[in-house]
Amino acid sequence: MRQILDTIKYYTDKRFSTLAGTLVYFLLMSIAPFTLWLTLVFGNVHVDGVLSHELLENVSPFLLYLKRSAESAASGPGIILLATSLYSSTNFFYHLRRSGEIVYDSPRVKGGFKLRLLSVAYIAATIVSVAFIAAISVVGTNILDRIMPFYISDIISSVFMTALAFAAAFMLNLIACPFKMKPYEALCGSLLTTALWLFFFVGFGFYTKFANPERLYGKIASLIIFLLWCYVMMSCFVIGMINNGKHIIRRETLKRR
């Protein structure tokens, strides 16, 4: 617990909240074009089952809106739209690595063009992964609903969502690190990020249930909630990345000596 509190204090003292906000900005720039390419490659991917889970129910309306918009845009995209959307979809992974160079205090800066190409590869892998996970979710949900009581299938789906959250945090930590990171070195920060995500998933549920944001924000309430949710989730990730960074920075400092 002491280490977690020290990590959070370091996060606030170094003003890494600004870094989290920057990542949210580029995440938002990447979501819509990513959804377009996902639709172009695999058609209508049935991610509704994942998005309708109770852990994501607060942001699912906005994500489903983006999905419908992408399906509409995919009906006749032009060459310019395809090129610009592919470039835009790489922004998050590109700036994730740039942010990692700041967090890990890296003296070496990766080449921009090479990093952009690498980001395209990350996007391609993410598209395949999302389609695969969506297929597993659809098949698994149908099987669980037929052979198991509701409360057991709900527990299994929650475990599945938690495992997905950890896998996402783990892979993002590996991508963000500008040094060669061994898998076990990303484990601690990924677990911390996942634990914080689960805590705030539940907290967001209580917030939206009792705060009634629609009364304050009106029709744009779902957008405001999504932006706030993204910022909190990205802050949790940066805190986990800082936790990993302490060990990596110490290791690299010893190497330079």
Side-chain angles (χ1 to χ4, degrees), residues 81-156:
L81 175 61
L82 289 175
T84 55
S85 62
L86 179 61
Y87 179 85
S88 298
S89 64
T90 65
N91 278 324
F92 176 70
F93 287 117
Y94 179 86
H95 290 280
L96 177 65
R97 173 59 68 85
R98 291 300 193 205
S99 300
E101 292 170 357
I102 296 173
V103 172
Y104 288 95
D105 194 23
S106 173
R108 51 186 180 183
V109 179
K110 300 291 184 181
F113 182 72
K114 184 185 297 184
L115 182 56
R116 187 68 70 174
L117 289 178
L118 190 60
S119 299
V120 174
Y122 290 144
I123 283 293
T126 305
I127 288 174
V128 175
S129 299
V130 169
F132 181 69
I133 291 169
I136 291 178
S137 176
V138 171
V139 174
T141 301
N142 291 333
I143 293 175
L144 290 176
D145 290 342
R146 291 180 182 179
I147 65 176
M148 291 186 177
F150 171 75
Y151 67 93
I152 295 180
S153 63
D154 189 53
I155 292 174
I156 294 176

Side-chain angles (χ1 to χ4, degrees), residues 24 54 59 104 135 191 203:
V24 170
E54 58 185 355
V59 295
Y104 288 95
L191 288 172

Side-chain angles (χ1 to χ4, degrees), residues 94-246:
Y94 179 86
H95 290 280
L96 177 65
R97 173 59 68 85
R98 291 300 193 205
S99 300
E101 292 170 357
I102 296 173
V103 172
Y104 288 95
D105 194 23
S106 173
R108 51 186 180 183
V109 179
K110 300 291 184 181
F113 182 72
K114 184 185 297 184
L115 182 56
R116 187 68 70 174
L117 289 178
L118 190 60
S119 299
V120 174
Y122 290 144
I123 283 293
T126 305
I127 288 174
V128 175
S129 299
V130 169
F132 181 69
I133 291 169
I136 291 178
S137 176
V138 171
V139 174
T141 301
N142 291 333
I143 293 175
L144 290 176
D145 290 342
R146 291 180 182 179
I147 65 176
M148 291 186 177
F150 171 75
Y151 67 93
I152 295 180
S153 63
D154 189 53
I155 292 174
I156 294 176
S157 63
S158 296
V159 172
F160 177 69
M161 292 294 293
T162 303
L164 285 180
F166 171 75
F170 184 77
M171 294 306 300
L172 290 176
N173 270 296
L174 292 178
I175 293 171
C177 184
F179 305 106
K180 288 185 177 181
M181 175 184 279
K182 298 177 181 178
Y184 73 86
E185 293 177 318
L187 189 61
C188 187
S190 301
L191 288 172
L192 175 58
T193 294
T194 305
L196 291 173
W197 277 349
L198 292 176
F199 175 79
F200 283 108
F201 277 144
V202 177
F204 247 88
F206 283 106
Y207 169 75
T208 55
K209 182 177 181 180
F210 295 105
N212 195 8
E214 289 82 4
R215 183 172 296 178
L216 176 62
Y217 299 114
K219 293 182 179 180
I220 64 170
S222 60
L223 175 60
I224 299 298
I225 292 172
F226 179 73
L227 292 174
L228 180 59
W229 181 84
C230 284
Y231 178 71
V232 172
M233 296 301 107
M234 201 55 63
S235 296
C236 294
F237 171 72
V238 173
I239 289 173
M241 186 163 54
I242 291 171
N243 188 76
N244 290 333
K246 290 180 178 179

Side-chain angles (χ1 to χ4, degrees), residues 42-103:
F42 289 101
N44 183 16
V45 179
H46 296 284
V47 295
D48 303 45
V50 176
L51 296 181
S52 61
H53 193 275
E54 58 185 355
L55 291 175
L56 296 174
E57 62 182 355
N58 300 306
V59 295
S60 59
F62 185 74
L63 292 174
L64 290 173
Y65 169 77
L66 287 178
K67 180 176 178 291
R68 290 191 296 268
S69 299
E71 291 170 358
S72 176
S75 59
I79 298 299
I80 296 179
L81 175 61
L82 289 175
T84 55
S85 62
L86 179 61
Y87 179 85
S88 298
S89 64
T90 65
N91 278 324
F92 176 70
F93 287 117
Y94 179 86
H95 290 280
L96 177 65
R97 173 59 68 85
R98 291 300 193 205
S99 300
E101 292 170 357
I102 296 173
V103 172

